[in-house]
Amino acid sequence: MSYEPHPYRERAARLPGAVLWTRTADGGAYRILPDGCMDLLWIEGELLVAGPDTRAYVSSSERGARCAAIRFAPGTAPGFLGVPAREVVDHRVPLAELWSLGRARRLADRVAKAAHPAAGLEDAAVRLFDEPPDRLIGQVVQGIHRGIAVPTLAANVGLSERQLHRRCLDAFGYGPKMLDRVLRMNRALDHARTGLTLATVAAQTGYADQAHLTREVKALTGVPPRALLQG
């Protein structure tokens, strides 16, 4: 994987459900949409954790700034980091603030010595991700994708709604209803990128109508869907 000549590239990682991506900044502002995921980022030698977002993350980078990252599937990053997702919601945090300084430096050194930072991140995640996948978390994600209501979903996994909410806060950073909003918005935008009209997308992805879809996208990203689709 190369930074040049492509500003952004991604591929599936060896860790199930994870994605490796690299980006070379073209300068100026950029917008990262909430997706229910957490990332471990290498930015010019520094390791950062991008927590789950409840709204779009807007920032800027100098032209040519390099970033490599592994994006964990929803609910899986806490098993690698050993930190509940709720502690890093809507934040970018140096890894050294979540781990011991020595442990974070050792990982940064291994990444730096790899043939490519992305490969170093992938190797570290595969080696250190030693907990088996949480089946309950997988069931929650599948249930939300299928449009199962929260009370039914809680009953299906053998928890009360309050217990399910707490488990979701630790795994995703927010409760199942918020996770549903985020995942549904991303499904809708994926549909829209195929060329479907917004009215059709709204009907296919569970929104009441196009206006409902537009309100949700704007609430979560700060801009209406057409602005995102033109980017």
Side-chain angles (χ1 to χ4, degrees), residues 9-224:
R9 296 186 67 178
E10 67 174 45
R11 68 166 174 83
R14 302 201 312 271
L15 196 68
V19 172
L20 282 177
W21 60 270
T22 61
R23 177 177 179 268
T24 301
D26 55 8
Y30 59 88
R31 184 183 305 269
I32 305 296
L33 306 188
D35 58 7
C37 300
M38 293 173 60
D39 295 48
L40 177 62
L41 305 101
W42 176 95
I43 302 178
E44 297 293 350
E46 183 180 7
L47 290 175
L48 300 170
V49 172
D53 292 321
T54 61
R55 58 188 180 276
Y57 176 77
V58 180
S59 188
S60 61
S61 296
E62 293 185 6
R63 184 176 182 83
R66 301 180 303 160
C67 177
I70 182 165
R71 178 180 302 124
F72 296 94
T76 62
F80 172 80
L81 296 170
V83 176
R86 55 184 162 79
E87 294 189 6
V88 291
V89 172
D90 291 324
H91 284 84
R92 272 56 180 166
V93 183
L95 184 62
E97 292 185 11
L98 303 177
W99 289 3
S100 69
L101 181 59
R103 186 184 181 198
R105 282 179 174 171
R106 287 192 294 273
L107 179 55
D109 288 343
R110 285 199 297 270
V111 172
K113 292 175 182 177
H116 189 284
L121 289 172
E122 181 179 36
D123 288 343
V126 170
R127 182 171 57 253
L128 297 176
F129 206 107
D130 55 3
E131 293 188 10
D134 188 329
R135 292 183 60 187
L136 183 144
I137 296 306
Q139 288 176 296
V140 169
V141 174
Q142 291 174 10
I144 288 175
H145 276 304
R146 291 165 54 195
I148 298 176
V150 171
T152 303
L153 181 57
N156 287 350
V157 298
L159 298 175
S160 68
E161 289 186 55
R162 181 174 294 182
Q163 289 171 326
L164 176 62
H165 188 80
R166 286 200 299 266
R167 292 290 296 273
C168 286
L169 288 180
D170 285 345
F172 307 110
Y174 29 71
K177 292 182 180 179
M178 183 65 189
L179 180 64
D180 178 43
R181 291 179 63 197
V182 168
L183 296 182
R184 187 177 359 168
M185 180 197 70
N186 279 277
R187 288 198 303 274
L189 291 174
D190 286 343
H191 279 61
R193 291 184 184 105
T194 69
L196 295 173
T197 66
L198 291 179
T200 299
V201 168
Q204 290 183 348
T205 51
Y207 292 94
D209 50 29
Q210 181 177 335
H212 182 204
L213 167 61
T214 298
R215 287 195 302 272
E216 275 292 277
V217 171
K218 191 169 183 179
L220 292 169
T221 72
V223 294

